[in-house]
């Protein structure tokens, strides 16, 4: 399976995402924001960072970049798309996911290992998790407060479209402790925390077993591989 | 060269942490008169051509779909730089209403 990772000017975690893809057992394909070519990949990742300096609004300029037209078309065909942090902001700006992300309610950048509950385990990126699995992966953002109008929140909750919820602490003021959401089809998923930083022992969050041994993020990528295997 | 000014504010119902931080700084600077600050954006769009309604309506379209995100922000004013909108003062001070006549 080939998973594309798009690099935008200001992307920071594109290499980490490529590495996570390889550790999960797929081929990582580097894609460039200024092109229209998806190189025939089977799934797509929009990585974290500060694309285009976060000018205008986080993810707004990236959502209008040349490759985004192809990504929107691919998403609408059912190709799995994962937006991480800045990538989640791009998906919201591109209207592939509802709601928006605003500055953290406490006004500060936050960087911590964050506990989450996986609320929806039937998406292309979460099918490998046990129902209601509790995981810990890094979170690092300044504008991660998820908001939407009351009707949208009710629909997200009612249709089980909340994919991840913050546990123990709401780090940014997100409504209903929402950390990530999915579209109804389950192929487009966005979240603020970073699964690609928790894929290899020695470099992940601390666990009860050992320092930096957390690899809860790896399941995102193996889930996409499993989804692909059942689709072909 | 005509210039159109677009002003965008965070929705009044949302917390504005940036404005809150500035309000905190005002308080620390010894000012007690101003107790609330909201922070928005001002765009200046310049172009060659006539300062007509067509330009204004194109700017409005751009303001709604690119310069602002309706989920989190409101466009509070779109006007020519040299023609101060009649309602600019009230528009700026009552962003809660968010759709002044100038729009």
């Amino acid at each position: 399976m080939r998973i594309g990772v798009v690099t935008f000017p200001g992307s920071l975690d594109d290499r980490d995402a490529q590495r996570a893809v390889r550790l999960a057992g797929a081929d990582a394909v580097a894609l460039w924001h200024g092109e229209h070519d998806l190189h025939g990949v089977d799934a797509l990742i929009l990585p974290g960072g500060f694309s285009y300096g976060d000018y205008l609004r986080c993810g707004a300029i990236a959502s209008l970049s040349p490759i985004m037209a192809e990504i929107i078309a691919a998403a609408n065909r059912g190709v799995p798309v994962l937006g991480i942090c800045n990538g989640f902001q791009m998906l919201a700006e591109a209207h592939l996911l509802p709601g928006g992300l605003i500055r953290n309610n406490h006004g500060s950048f936050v960087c911590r290992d964050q506990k989450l509950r996986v609320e929806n385990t039937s998406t292309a990126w979460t099918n490998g998790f046990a129902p209601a699995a509790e995981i810990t992966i890094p979170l690092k953002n300044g504008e991660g407060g998820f908001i939407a109008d009351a009707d949208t929140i009710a629909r997200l909750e009612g249709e089980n479209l909340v994919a991840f919820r913050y546990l123990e602490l709401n780090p940014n003021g997100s409504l209903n402790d929402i950390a990530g959401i999915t579209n109804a089809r389950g192929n487009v998923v966005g979240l603020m925390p970073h699964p690609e930083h928790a894929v290899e022992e020695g470099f992940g969050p601390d666990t009860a077993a050992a320092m930096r041994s957390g690899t809860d993020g790896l399941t995102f990528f193996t889930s996409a591989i499993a989804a692909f295997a059942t689709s072909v | 060269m005509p210039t159109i000014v677009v002003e965008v504010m965070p929705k009044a119902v949302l917390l504005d942490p940036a404005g809150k931080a500035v309000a905190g700084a005002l308080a620390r600077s010894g000012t007690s008169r101003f107790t609330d600050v909201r922070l928005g954006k001002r765009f200046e769009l310049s172009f060659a051509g006539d300062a007509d309604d067509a330009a204004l309506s194109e700017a409005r379209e751009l303001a709604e779909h690119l310069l602002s995100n309706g989920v989190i922000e409101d466009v509070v004013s779109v006007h020519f730089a040299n023609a101060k909108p009649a309602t600019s003062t009230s528009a700026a001070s009552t962003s809660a209403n968010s759709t002044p006549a100038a729009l």
Side-chain angles (χ1 to χ4, degrees), chain A residues 115-208:
Chain A
K115 197 167 178 184
L116 307 172
R117 188 190 307 117
V118 185
E119 299 280 22
N120 182 327
T121 55
S122 57
T123 78
W125 299 96
T126 59
N127 60 67
F129 289 108
E134 296 187 1
I135 64 173
T136 300
I137 59 178
L139 172 79
K140 42 169 194 159
N141 65 67
E143 304 195 25
F146 180 80
I147 60 129
D149 59 41
D151 288 349
T152 304
I153 293 287
R155 187 171 64 82
L156 288 171
E157 295 287 357
E159 297 177 13
N160 195 28
L161 301 180
V162 176
F164 309 95
R165 215 182 294 274
Y166 296 116
L167 287 183
E168 294 175 1
L169 176 148
N170 183 330
N172 46 30
S174 292
L175 294 179
N176 289 28
D177 301 332
I178 292 172
I181 57 177
T182 174
N183 64 351
R185 195 167 176 174
N187 65 310
V188 180
V189 172
L191 77 166
M192 288 312 296
H194 289 260
E196 80 282 17
H197 295 326
V199 293
E200 186 178 15
E201 280 194 38
F203 303 93
D206 293 347
T207 71

Side-chain angles (χ1 to χ4, degrees), chain A residues 66-93:
Chain A
I67 203 162
M68 210 60 174
E70 314 310 323
I71 289 171
I72 292 168
N76 289 332
R77 283 198 306 272
V79 172
V81 179
L82 177 66
I84 304 167
C85 195
N86 196 217
F88 183 18
Q89 295 164 337
M90 291 174 207
L91 292 174
E93 283 284 345

Side-chain angles (χ1 to χ4, degrees), chain A residues 100-114:
Chain A
L101 285 309
I102 61 170
R103 207 177 294 244
N104 297 345
N105 60 346
H106 46 74
S108 301
F109 195 92
V110 61
C111 181
R112 66 193 309 271
D113 292 338
Q114 177 68 47

Side-chain angles (χ1 to χ4, degrees), chain A residues 56-57 60 64 92-93 95 99-107 147-149, chain B residues 8 14-18 20 39 41 43 63 65-69 71-73:
Chain A
L56 188 57
R57 296 175 303 278
L64 296 166
E93 283 284 345
H95 306 297
L101 285 309
I102 61 170
R103 207 177 294 244
N104 297 345
N105 60 346
H106 46 74
I147 60 129
D149 59 41
Chain B
V8 175
L14 296 178
L15 210 62
D16 174 14
K20 216 169 108 189
L39 218 69
K41 292 179 193 145
F43 302 86
H65 295 112
L66 173 60
L67 303 181
S68 72
N69 176 344
V71 176
I72 58 180
E73 298 169 318

